[in-house]
Amino acid sequence: MNASIKPSKVVVIGGGIFGVSTAVHLARLGVRTVLVNDGPLANGASGRSLAWLNSARKRTEAYHRLRLAGIDRYRTLAVRNPDAPWLRFNGGLTWDADDASNEIAEVFDYERELGYHAQWLSSERIAGVTPGVDASTVTRQGAIFNPGEGWVDLPSLIGVLAQEYRTLGGEIITDAGRATVDVESGRARGVITADGMRRDADAVLLAAGGDVPAIVAEVGQHIGDATPVALLVRTKPIRHPLKAVLNTPRVAIRPTPNGGFALDSAWSEEEVSVRPDGSYEIRQSTLEGLLREASRVLEGNPALEVEDYGVGPKPIPGDGEPVFGELPSIPGYFVAFSHSGATLGLIAGELLADEIGTGRRHQLLADFRPERFSASRR
């Protein structure tokens, strides 16, 4: 670990879940912290995340263990906020297409062996376990229901955490433009915002979503990047019994706090076009297609209308695994760059704050260090 003493001041770049979570955990530790964001809080990937809390299907043992710890922190939060409309644990239901890619039986056995709570359901049993699904659309191989899964509305959570952070004396600077980390004599010394303002710090956390690889590249560091463009559509509120998250072959669906649904899919993301000026073009047929696919799998096939949508980079490291911790050759320069930001948001902030504040590396993050990319590059 490069950090050796407790920092007197930390600057966090990024107003998404990783940045705000780490900032509030640092404030709880008594570390003076400033959070800087290029726009309002939650204006990036956290504002357009499906935010399904899960460790379903197959992944490495270390990643599964970290995600379980992440879910555990949300359970504690749910107990403390039992009436919060932005956090719910009503399970997740998933099924695959009726073709050679269907892995439902294999995944069910895998999850059961891990002790991850899973129930295999035929279409006839779904209504009695989790309401709101048009079971006729479930493929013949059946579906897996994971009772311990849930969802969170990240902008709402970020608002709650930011309020606590300010109460603890934390400073938030929004609309600061693109910030860069100031590295002097091989060490992070602070942050420079787009207006040229410099803010000194003993340590810096870069949690700027899909911009992380490009920003660390400015100081000669490499982090693999597989960031695609993501599209999340939110529907207008309707009365409907669905409470679980649905992960289906053509659409993923979760409830929203106001009674609507959040929708995404792989195919709709592929239909997003990037214009020469960097803005995004969303076809009306794409939006209508998502609404149609969602209606098809919902009980009663309700008419759905778009309330709004978000589009932009979905942070995914080059090897698909999270990147958390201090850059190997620049003391005091920490990064947070990962998919599954919702599931990992609370635990990542807790562990990163502990590492920044104490200088001790946490074993849960051992497999997710940024140096794995430096080694492969060499």
Side-chain angles (χ1 to χ4, degrees):
M1 182 69 177
N2 290 323
S4 57
I5 58 173
K6 181 177 180 178
S8 60
K9 183 179 180 182
V10 175
V11 176
V12 174
I13 300 175
I17 187 57
F18 287 144
V20 174
S21 175
T22 305
V24 76
H25 279 97
L26 283 165
R28 290 172 183 172
L29 294 174
V31 178
R32 183 183 171 203
T33 307
V34 177
L35 186 144
V36 177
N37 198 45
D38 59 356
L41 297 181
N43 67 324
S46 292
R48 51 180 183 268
S49 169
L50 188 70
W52 171 25
L53 305 177
N54 78 94
S55 189
R57 305 192 80 101
K58 299 178 182 178
R59 51 182 48 85
T60 64
E61 181 181 347
Y63 197 6
H64 178 65
R65 189 164 59 245
L66 183 62
R67 290 172 75 103
L68 290 181
I71 294 171
D72 171 77
R73 298 308 190 270
Y74 277 104
R75 291 196 177 282
T76 302
L77 186 66
V79 169
R80 294 174 179 168
N81 298 270
D83 299 321
W86 43 264
L87 177 60
R88 286 288 181 263
F89 280 98
N90 294 115
L93 185 74
T94 182
W95 68 89
D96 292 352
D98 185 11
D99 57 30
S101 69
N102 192 294
E103 295 183 319
I104 287 298
E106 183 180 344
V107 168
F108 174 67
D109 288 340
Y110 177 81
E111 291 181 349
R112 187 173 56 178
E113 288 296 317
L114 284 178
Y116 189 70
H117 197 182
Q119 301 171 355
W120 181 87
L121 301 177
S122 63
S123 59
E124 295 79 15
R125 293 182 57 207
I126 289 173
V129 175
T130 182
V133 181
D134 185 336
S136 69
T137 62
V138 177
T139 48
R140 59 190 172 86
Q141 295 87 349
I144 296 173
F145 183 63
N146 301 109
E149 295 178 353
W151 60 268
V152 62
D153 183 73
L154 283 179
S156 298
L157 172 59
I158 286 169
V160 170
L161 294 177
Q163 183 177 5
E164 179 189 352
Y165 173 67
R166 289 189 176 100
T167 300
L168 293 171
E171 181 183 358
I172 298 177
I173 301 170
T174 56
D175 302 308
R178 189 177 188 271
T180 57
V181 181
D182 186 26
V183 176
E184 295 180 1
S185 303
R187 182 179 182 88
R189 300 291 183 182
V191 167
I192 301 173
T193 49
D195 59 3
M197 179 76 69
R198 175 193 166 95
R199 290 170 174 83
D200 294 328
D202 301 307
V204 174
L205 171 68
L206 177 65
D211 289 336
V212 167
I215 293 175
V216 300
E218 295 171 0
V219 291
Q221 301 296 299
H222 173 67
I223 293 177
D225 186 19
T227 297
V229 174
L231 170 67
L232 185 83
V233 173
R234 285 170 288 261
T235 75
K236 293 180 180 179
I238 63 169
R239 292 182 61 86
H240 196 273
L242 182 74
K243 297 185 181 302
V245 178
L246 301 186
N247 186 25
T248 83
R250 293 284 296 172
V251 66
I253 307 174
R254 73 151 165 89
T256 59
N258 72 347
F261 296 113
L263 317 174
D264 75 5
S265 72
W267 66 263
S268 59
E269 292 176 356
E270 293 171 357
E271 293 187 0
V272 176
S273 301
V274 183
R275 299 188 182 100
D277 64 358
S279 63
Y280 301 101
E281 181 177 353
I282 314 298
R283 284 180 263 172
Q284 185 64 28
S285 60
T286 301
L287 301 177
E288 292 172 355
L290 262 182
L291 296 178
R292 189 165 52 249
E293 295 288 355
S295 176
R296 192 175 71 88
V297 300
L298 291 171
E299 178 184 304
N301 309 124
L304 301 175
E305 298 179 69
V306 173
E307 181 170 78
D308 61 23
Y309 62 84
V311 61
K314 176 165 64 176
I316 299 181
D319 59 4
E321 298 275 292
V323 184
F324 295 128
E326 195 172 25
L327 293 177
S329 57
I330 306 180
Y333 194 150
F334 293 79
V335 297
F337 176 53
S338 180
H339 185 36
S340 60
T343 300
L344 300 182
L346 297 180
I347 189 64
E350 175 187 326
L351 299 183
L352 284 167
D354 188 67
E355 291 197 352
I356 295 168
T358 68
R360 296 190 303 266
R361 284 192 168 205
H362 202 291
Q363 184 60 33
L364 264 179
L365 300 183
D367 288 351
F368 309 116
R369 302 290 175 189
E371 52 258 41
R372 70 183 189 267
F373 293 105
S374 301
S376 65
R377 196 182 190 197
R378 289 195 300 269

